[in-house]
Amino acid sequence: MAQADFSYDVARDPAGEPASIAVFADRPAMRGQIAEDLVGAGFRAADGGPITDLLEGPVRVLGDVVLIDCPSVDAQTLAALSRLDMRVARSGSQLIVSTSFDALDDVFAAMDQSDPQFLVNPTRADRIVAAGRVIARVSNSRVREMTEEDRLTLLRLSQQVDAIASRLEGLSDTPLKPQGSGQVSAGDFTAKQTARDTSNRTDAALGDSNPTPLHTARPPLPDPRLVRQIIANRQTRARFFDAELFADPAWDMLLDLTAAHAEHRRVSVTSLCIAAGVPATTALRWVRQMVDSGIFVRIADSTDKRRAFVALSEGSADGMASYFAAIDAPLNLAA
């Protein structure tokens, strides 16, 4: 029987040359394994080494792709990652960061300029696929990090967020009927929050001799208990149906950030990945796409530079507030 041929086509950079990839990992055996796998996939090995070389060693010429393996981090590792992040952002190389769930928040905070692709506890195949994705992105290949269906979904979501905010501004002025005993009504919360917002704006105006024109008030965000109940209801479906039938990480993350916004609570990237209900690597791709689209914003921790958080953009907060105001409006059954 003839032996099956599992060889790969050579990975090419935008100029058509074999793409080079540098691997940095503190574990020599892991560094060798990753490099061997990538060479077998058609990449050309570039000069790599321990992660500390990025901080203490000579300045190296980066490859088309730089892959970092850092399942755990310390102060020296974070300094090396920050330095690499700035170099990659200036050089045009593509960066892949393989890490663990425990180290994810620290690594995410250190890499804020180079738009890396994050992998969480990846398999050997995951690393090869990730390298192919970033080369495809550079060369404008038809291959994309997300399917066209995912991209269309994200585009529609972004458009809907903008449309909700602009078309439903007046709904918060309509009194909403309270729900039954024991339930949280977005309408109940709306009236109280609107009163507080009005009071705050009035106080600010009285304290300013030259007040600026007031921004049009948006509907307030719903009571976070209502949003948390919606999230819990969505998760309950997994008890009766395959959870993959309802996988919707973008919406699940929007709901989680909406509740957190109303609670005045910051959300770490790890927490947001858990809320997405999909594998962490998939969730991180969605986070990046939604940050790039302006639906989410990345916020650095002013007191600890090793941490960063994700939050709703102002436009998304407007959209979610208007959305909840719309769905809580009295049902109109008139023909």
Side-chain angles (χ1 to χ4, degrees), residues 117 128-138 143-145 285:
Q117 180 169 168
I128 294 173
V129 171
R133 281 175 172 158
V134 297
I135 286 297
R137 184 170 62 183
V138 172
V143 178
R144 293 293 184 263
E145 291 186 28
R285 287 204 300 272

Side-chain angles (χ1 to χ4, degrees), residues 111-126:
M111 319 296 286
D112 63 346
Q113 300 184 45
S114 59
D115 193 23
Q117 180 169 168
F118 292 99
L119 303 176
V120 181
N121 299 326
T123 64
R124 297 171 72 171
D126 289 337

Side-chain angles (χ1 to χ4, degrees), residues 1 18 37 44 50 58 84 94 97 106 110 174 278 288 330:
M1 181 182 294
D37 289 345
R44 175 168 49 90
L84 176 65
Q94 297 296 306
V97 182
D106 290 336
T174 303
V278 293
R288 185 174 69 179

Side-chain angles (χ1 to χ4, degrees), residues 28-48:
M30 178 59 71
R31 188 166 65 245
Q33 181 190 86
I34 295 172
E36 180 182 352
D37 289 345
L38 292 169
V39 168
F43 288 90
R44 175 168 49 90
D47 192 17

Side-chain angles (χ1 to χ4, degrees), residues 200-270:
N200 291 340
R201 288 194 302 271
T202 302
D203 291 344
L206 290 175
D208 189 348
S209 58
N210 296 297
T212 57
L214 296 178
H215 179 68
T216 302
R218 73 179 182 209
L221 288 170
D223 188 317
R225 292 172 294 176
L226 174 66
V227 185
R228 295 293 179 200
Q229 184 61 56
I230 292 173
I231 294 171
N233 292 344
R234 289 171 63 81
Q235 294 171 345
T236 301
R237 295 177 305 192
R239 292 169 49 191
F240 308 101
F241 301 96
D242 185 349
E244 292 185 0
L245 288 172
F246 307 105
D248 191 358
W251 185 242
D252 286 328
M253 289 189 287
L254 269 170
L255 287 172
D256 188 69
L257 290 179
T258 297
H261 191 104
E263 295 163 343
H264 306 289
R265 181 178 59 83
R266 298 183 298 184
V267 178
S268 68
V269 65
T270 298

Side-chain angles (χ1 to χ4, degrees), residues 5 25 33 59 179 207 210 214 256 273 309:
D5 182 7
Q33 181 190 86
V59 176
Q179 298 180 359
N210 296 297
L214 296 178
D256 188 69
C273 287
F309 302 95

Side-chain angles (χ1 to χ4, degrees), residues 10-80:
V10 176
R12 302 281 178 175
D13 64 13
E17 298 296 324
S20 61
I21 185 161
V23 179
F24 291 89
D26 288 334
R27 299 176 290 176
M30 178 59 71
R31 188 166 65 245
Q33 181 190 86
I34 295 172
E36 180 182 352
D37 289 345
L38 292 169
V39 168
F43 288 90
R44 175 168 49 90
D47 192 17
I51 295 176
T52 51
D53 283 3
L54 295 167
L55 189 61
E56 301 171 349
V59 176
R60 301 168 184 256
V61 176
L62 299 177
D64 298 303
V65 179
V66 180
L67 193 153
I68 304 293
D69 176 69
C70 53
S72 60
V73 294
D74 53 22
Q76 190 174 33
T77 301
L78 291 175

